[in-house]
Amino acid sequence: MTKIAPSVLAADLLKIEQEVSNVDKAGAEYIHIDVMDGHFVPNITMGPSVVKAIRDSSPLPFDVHLMIAPADPYIVAFAEAGADIITVHQEAGPHLSRTLQLIKSLGKKAGVSLNPATPVETVLEVLNEVDLVLVMSVNPGFSGQAFISKTLKKISIIRQAIDDIGRDIDLEIDGGINKTTSKAAIQAGADVIVAGSATFAGGRRQYAANIRGLRNDKRG
Ligand code: DX5
Ligand code: ZN
């Protein structure tokens, strides 16, 4: 089944606790939290204290996407703040495998993310060590950017590789996802759909319909 992971970056941040609870009630499976450092990406967002502050707003898994370099010095803090899945970028450090082992040693699920320009082979090298692969379908940094459709090819290749090794690994896509691009991503093999703008469009009464639409549920 496809899981929907609203990116809270696109929520009403003055009401972030309610927004997390709203999307939980609207049917989301994960809460996607975008962490940016103004160095690895050209934007600054939230840190472990925000993760901790919203932790009690929903029992759903917190899917924490670290767009920071270096990542290693902050992983313990995000684990202690209540992250369930911690995803680092392949491009963010020289020792990806060590970083993934650190995340797992803290009892958390480990994810690896790839920027649009990063070759898919780099992730195949660590497929046995991860619980989630996050394919970026925009250059990370901001909500509301246009989907880069050539990244779908990466989804198909990674889907095949995951099926070949037969491990339970989430294949997540993030950036520029709406009803249409979500359908294409699911067809290519994605099973976790991150969506910021498309989830939070139209105010909280729309969230359930937005999520159904992203799932490409016929009732949507
Ligand atoms: C981009 C972030 C995304 C972003 C998604 O750097 O990783 O999670 O917030 O936003 P939309 O769905 O609006 O493209
Ligand atoms: Zn993200």
Side-chain angles (χ1 to χ4, degrees):
M1 194 194 92
T2 307
K3 297 187 179 90
I4 306 296
S7 161
V8 296
L9 194 55
D12 179 347
L13 293 178
L14 284 177
K15 299 182 185 149
I16 186 168
E17 282 188 85
Q18 284 138 274
E19 291 281 69
V20 168
S21 163
N22 289 340
V23 288
D24 175 338
K25 292 191 190 112
E29 279 81 13
Y30 288 168
I31 302 296
H32 186 83
I33 301 171
D34 288 304
V35 177
M36 306 186 188
D37 66 353
H39 166 74
F40 180 69
V41 289
N43 194 6
I44 300 176
T45 57
M46 40 200 119
S49 55
V50 174
V51 175
K52 190 171 176 203
I54 61 176
R55 183 56 278 191
D56 289 342
S57 310
S58 164
L60 291 178
F62 275 17
D63 169 29
V64 175
H65 178 192
L66 297 183
M67 287 159 276
I68 64 175
D72 293 17
Y74 305 99
I75 284 170
V76 170
F78 282 103
E80 287 177 350
D84 297 287
I85 307 163
I86 300 179
T87 297
V88 294
H89 269 259
Q90 183 275 343
E91 308 86 358
H95 304 294
L96 179 59
S97 176
R98 182 180 289 150
T99 304
L100 296 169
Q101 296 310 321
L102 169 62
I103 297 169
K104 293 207 286 194
S105 74
L106 299 167
K108 306 298 179 179
K109 291 192 169 174
V112 60
S113 182
L114 292 182
N115 283 334
T118 303
V120 70
E121 287 72 21
T122 56
V123 81
L124 304 180
E125 294 292 331
V126 291
L127 216 47
N128 271 309
E129 301 177 59
V130 298
D131 303 293
L132 178 145
V133 177
L134 168 50
V135 173
M136 289 306 305
S137 41
V138 296
N139 288 297
F142 304 93
S143 281
Q145 302 183 80
F147 185 76
I148 301 171
S149 55
K150 80 182 243 287
T151 58
L152 288 172
K153 174 126 192 283
K154 265 187 229 178
I155 292 282
S156 319
I157 294 169
I158 299 167
R159 164 52 53 210
Q160 184 65 56
I162 291 173
D163 291 350
D164 286 349
I165 64 171
R167 285 188 60 237
D168 183 17
I169 301 173
D170 284 340
L171 180 49
E172 182 172 59
I173 189 159
D174 181 7
I177 295 287
N178 54 36
K179 246 177 153 165
T180 310
T181 54
S182 154
K183 189 172 189 180
I186 294 166
Q187 273 166 1
D191 56 10
V192 185
I193 301 292
V194 177
S197 322
T199 303
F200 290 97
R204 68 187 169 84
R205 287 192 178 77
Q206 284 303 312
Y207 296 170
N210 291 346
I211 288 171
R212 277 199 303 277
L214 291 164
R215 220 187 277 293
N216 286 283
D217 185 317
K218 291 199 177 54
R219 289 167 297 157

